[in-house]
Amino acid sequence: MIMDVAVEFEIIIHQFKKLTDAYREAIKETGISESEFWVWYTLIAVDGEYTKRDISSIWSISRQRVDAIVKRMVDTDCAFLASESPADPEYIHLTDLGREYGERIVKPIYDIEKKVIASLPLKDCMACNAVMCRYIHAFSEEIYDAREKGQI
């Protein structure tokens, strides 16, 4: 039984690698780096306001890399940074030029995501989410325990 679970998990990891490769191939077509794509993706496709720190955390992109990408966006009049007060974090806001550019890059891939997700049975999507949530929770707990015990 344990061997079956290990084999299944290897298959899942392999599938995630294949998915990552598919995104990588699609992103190459945009002419920008993967990191830059995920910054644009967040600002175009994901609801909400984001700071550079938020984006760095969401995608595990170094803060320096996100800073450089956002600086280039600001320098090319695609975005500006604003905060409620000097003590508050600066949120990234797209200009009309930035929104137009970002949509041209992100929308084709985002539309493909939506099309594919819509074609899958809801129960399959829910099952996948449930398994991943359980795995991530259990893995995080095990990592925490291993740290506490000085094992890692």
Side-chain angles (χ1 to χ4, degrees):
M1 178 80 167
I2 292 175
M3 191 56 126
D4 292 340
V5 171
V7 170
E8 284 300 313
F9 187 72
E10 285 182 34
I11 292 169
I12 290 169
I13 295 299
H14 182 70
Q15 294 301 328
F16 276 113
K17 183 183 178 331
K18 287 171 65 173
L19 179 60
T20 299
D21 290 346
Y23 270 100
R24 193 166 282 137
E25 287 302 312
I27 292 168
K28 279 182 188 177
E29 298 299 318
T30 68
I32 62 174
S33 72
E34 288 181 51
S35 296
E36 187 171 355
F37 177 83
W38 293 116
V39 171
W40 282 107
Y41 183 96
T42 304
L43 298 172
I44 295 293
V46 183
D47 289 333
E49 290 188 318
Y50 297 92
T51 65
K52 293 181 281 186
R53 175 169 287 158
D54 294 335
I55 293 173
S56 176
S57 176
I58 291 167
W59 298 109
S60 298
I61 302 170
S62 76
R63 207 31 221 286
Q64 296 83 359
R65 182 76 177 120
V66 173
D67 287 347
I69 292 165
V70 172
K71 181 180 182 335
R72 191 165 47 252
M73 292 168 75
V74 169
D75 290 348
T76 58
D77 296 323
C78 287
F80 63 94
L81 300 172
S83 65
E84 295 290 321
S85 71
D88 290 337
E90 291 183 315
Y91 288 89
I92 306 163
H93 300 276
L94 295 176
T95 63
D96 290 341
L97 176 67
R99 181 153 302 283
E100 180 183 314
Y101 176 75
E103 285 178 354
R104 221 174 33 247
I105 290 170
V106 170
K107 195 163 176 3
I109 295 172
Y110 181 69
D111 287 348
I112 290 168
E113 285 177 329
K114 289 191 319 188
K115 178 182 175 183
V116 171
I117 291 293
S119 74
L120 299 172
L122 179 60
K123 66 178 174 52
D124 290 354
C125 293
M126 292 172 65
C128 182
N129 285 335
V131 167
M132 287 309 298
C133 286
R134 285 196 311 268
Y135 173 76
I136 291 166
H137 179 75
F139 185 80
S140 297
E141 283 185 351
E142 291 294 328
I143 291 293
Y144 178 82
D145 289 347
R147 271 195 205 122
E148 290 293 307
K149 296 174 183 171
Q151 296 169 334
I152 60 170

